[in-house]
Amino acid sequence: MAMVNIRRDVEDKFYRYKMPLLQIKVEGRGNGIKTVVPNMEDIARALNRPPTYPTKYFGCELGAQTSMANDRYIVNGAHTADRLRELLDSFIEQFVLCPSCKNPETELVITGKSGHEDMHRDCKACGRQNGVNMRHKLVAYILKNPVKKKEKGKKGKKGGMTAEANVGGPMVFEKGAEDGSGEDEDASPSGTPAPGDQGVPTTGTDIDDVLGRSDPVLGNPDEAEEVSKKLAKTDLNGDDDEDEDADSPYALLGGWLEDNKDASDADIIEKIKEYGIAGKYKVLVEIGHHLFSDEVAKEITKRIPLIQALVTSEKHQKGLLGGLERLLALSPNSDALLAAGTTSKVLMELYQADILDEEFVKNWGTHVSKKYVDKEKSKKVRKSADAFLKWLDEADDESESE
Ligand SMILES: [Zn+2]
């Protein structure tokens, strides 16, 4: 799926907020001609808005009828992809981006009594609240079709940062833009969101989570199909990290680490707590990927106490190595780094500090995985661990012959 920056005026390819490029399909002919946006749900999810909002926005701007039933998002008439992309940009500008800091991590919050509502964008990044143009036609639609705050329990995103932050808030459009698609008047006739809409954890941590949390919805054939589709996308290694939303607490932590590589261990731990993900193994993925630079072989030494504090299970070890694997594989200097045996040096540090178990690291070294990087890269990273793995084997032989 082609991804573009949510702010298409930003050309930086490392800009962290991405959405799928809007696609269209023109169907029918004559008076019945219509433009379908097949990936509207994915786009909306990236924007943390229900898919009905941008669709309705298109309708308002184009003076066209929209239809938003059965997860199909349609604007009547024939429209070009370019035109809809431009309109999407202006939807984002007016209803998503924080006008103060231009960050897309906002929620629409409605305050005031019926008939006198006010709506603003509540920015998670800078904390400011900015209004929207209350005269825009979409506002009336949103007021009529708000995403009510629901008790979601364990469903939806892990970490629960925003859910917690929202407690006591007035009426909040939750993270996880799928919420509320079922509340649209044009959508499901029952008016209640199907559990599958939000219950299928695309950001689950592993297959057990996915299977476990999917069970309750398997009763309904449609939902069962939906679940099996999602499961098909999730390979048995728990290879679901691509689905990680740009607004997940992990992505936020990664971004913060990237900008604060010099932060003290205490500050980093504070930040992890702030994001509500203390103790999670995925924290280690972010640490491995974003706290270090090409100089990781040197830098890792001073972070040993931090890593020791954070790694509490084999899963955490795996996460850490996954993150480091990404760091090494995705660096522009990857080949040189790997050729210099950087993986070996890093593993040695971690092993000597008792962060990695011998059995675990041997197993890791001999099993290529495409969970964190593609297979070829994964192979190269492990190849770069040869010296260390060989050393481990030899150390074993020596102790046996003694
Ligand atoms: Zn802001």
Side-chain angles (χ1 to χ4, degrees):
M1 185 170 12
M3 300 294 281
V4 292
N5 288 342
I6 285 178
R7 277 183 62 196
R8 291 201 301 149
D9 58 320
V10 173
E11 280 172 24
D12 180 4
K13 68 179 161 137
F14 294 110
Y15 178 72
R16 54 189 305 107
Y17 301 104
K18 309 270 187 203
M19 63 178 176
L21 182 65
L22 182 144
Q23 308 292 338
I24 62 152
K25 240 164 61 185
V26 176
E27 293 181 355
R29 45 177 41 217
N31 283 338
I33 198 162
K34 56 193 178 182
T35 307
V36 184
V37 183
N39 60 344
M40 184 54 97
E41 281 199 352
D42 294 325
I43 294 166
R45 189 177 304 118
L47 299 175
N48 183 30
R49 296 290 181 268
T52 48
Y53 292 5
T55 310
K56 197 72 192 179
Y57 182 87
F58 295 165
C60 294
E61 294 291 315
L62 295 164
Q65 293 282 326
T66 53
S67 146
M68 304 183 277
N70 305 319
D71 298 335
R72 297 234 308 157
Y73 298 91
I74 298 167
V75 186
N76 280 6
H79 308 284
T80 63
D82 277 346
R83 180 74 184 117
L84 294 188
R85 284 168 192 163
E86 277 167 19
L87 288 175
L88 182 63
D89 291 341
S90 62
F91 169 78
I92 291 169
E93 179 74 33
Q94 295 183 63
F95 291 96
V96 179
L97 290 184
C98 167
S100 305
C101 71
K102 295 285 175 190
N103 193 294
E105 288 173 73
T106 65
E107 293 184 356
L108 285 178
V109 179
I110 299 168
T111 54
K113 290 201 185 81
S114 176
H116 299 88
E117 291 101 337
D118 202 3
M119 190 185 302
H120 56 262
R121 284 163 280 181
D122 187 355
C123 180
K124 299 292 158 198
C126 75
R128 289 197 183 84
Q129 301 199 328
N130 287 282
V132 301
N133 173 9
M134 293 301 286
R135 281 190 296 270
H136 195 284
K137 277 186 193 159
L138 182 65
V139 169
Y141 176 82
I142 295 175
L143 291 176
K144 253 194 277 169
N145 300 276
V147 181
K148 294 184 190 70
K149 179 153 174 54
K150 294 180 280 269
E151 283 307 321
K152 292 203 299 178
K154 296 143 297 303
K155 286 179 170 179
K157 194 163 304 169
K158 289 186 121 192
M161 178 189 63
T162 49
E164 278 163 27
N166 289 341
V167 167
M171 197 181 283
V172 179
F173 298 84
E174 299 222 15
K175 297 277 177 192
E178 283 173 327
D179 297 356
S181 53
E183 307 215 331
D184 177 61
E185 58 185 3
D186 301 328
S188 95
S190 69
T192 31
D197 279 350
Q198 46 181 295
V200 181
T202 53
T203 56
T205 51
D206 60 31
I207 197 68
D208 292 330
D209 286 354
V210 174
L211 290 170
R213 290 195 280 170
S214 301
D215 279 344
V217 298
L218 288 173
N220 176 321
D222 286 349
E223 286 156 4
E225 191 193 52
E226 187 60 22
V227 169
S228 57
K229 261 194 276 172
K230 302 240 173 174
L231 282 177
K233 279 201 273 179
T234 311
D235 85 16
L236 289 171
N237 294 321
D239 192 2
D240 51 354
D241 294 67
E242 294 82 3
D243 295 332
E244 196 74 80
D245 294 345
D247 56 12
S248 83
Y250 300 104
L252 295 179
L253 175 66
W256 184 84
L257 289 171
E258 202 65 58
D259 294 338
N260 296 277
K261 289 185 200 272
D262 293 330
S264 71
D265 290 356
D267 285 349
I268 293 173
I269 287 177
E270 205 41 52
K271 210 68 197 173
I272 293 167
K273 285 186 190 155
E274 196 182 309
Y275 286 133
I277 47 179
K280 306 284 185 187
Y281 87 97
K282 281 191 177 181
V283 165
L284 275 304
V285 181
E286 300 304 323
I287 295 272
H289 187 183
H290 295 294
L291 183 56
F292 304 104
S293 72
D294 285 356
E295 299 294 316
V296 57
K298 284 180 203 151
E299 293 164 350
I300 197 120
T301 316
K302 62 175 194 282
R303 293 298 188 180
I304 290 293
L306 173 73
I307 298 174
Q308 278 171 333
L310 296 175
V311 173
T312 52
S313 77
E314 188 171 304
K315 205 165 177 180
H316 291 74
Q317 298 178 40
K318 260 187 209 166
L320 174 64
L321 293 195
L324 289 166
E325 196 176 350
R326 274 190 187 150
L327 172 78
L328 294 169
L330 303 178
S331 161
N333 306 307
S334 179
D335 287 347
L337 276 174
L338 294 177
T342 305
T343 313
S344 278
K345 290 175 194 163
V346 170
L347 290 181
M348 182 64 96
E349 286 283 336
L350 296 171
Y351 178 75
Q352 300 282 13
D354 279 333
I355 290 165
L356 300 178
D357 296 331
E358 181 174 347
E359 281 316 305
F360 163 74
V361 73
K362 278 184 177 171
N363 191 45
W364 179 88
T366 47
H367 288 79
V368 171
S369 156
K370 60 180 174 62
K371 174 163 175 152
Y372 293 103
V373 296
D374 67 52
K375 229 172 171 169
E376 278 315 299
K377 282 286 184 187
S378 172
K379 259 187 215 168
K380 283 188 186 167
V381 170
R382 281 160 180 75
K383 186 100 189 72
S384 165
D386 270 356
F388 169 73
L389 295 169
K390 206 169 153 226
W391 174 87
L392 257 191
D393 277 342
E394 282 166 5
D396 257 7
D397 290 348
E398 272 167 34
S399 60
E400 271 164 27
S401 62
E402 264 161 26

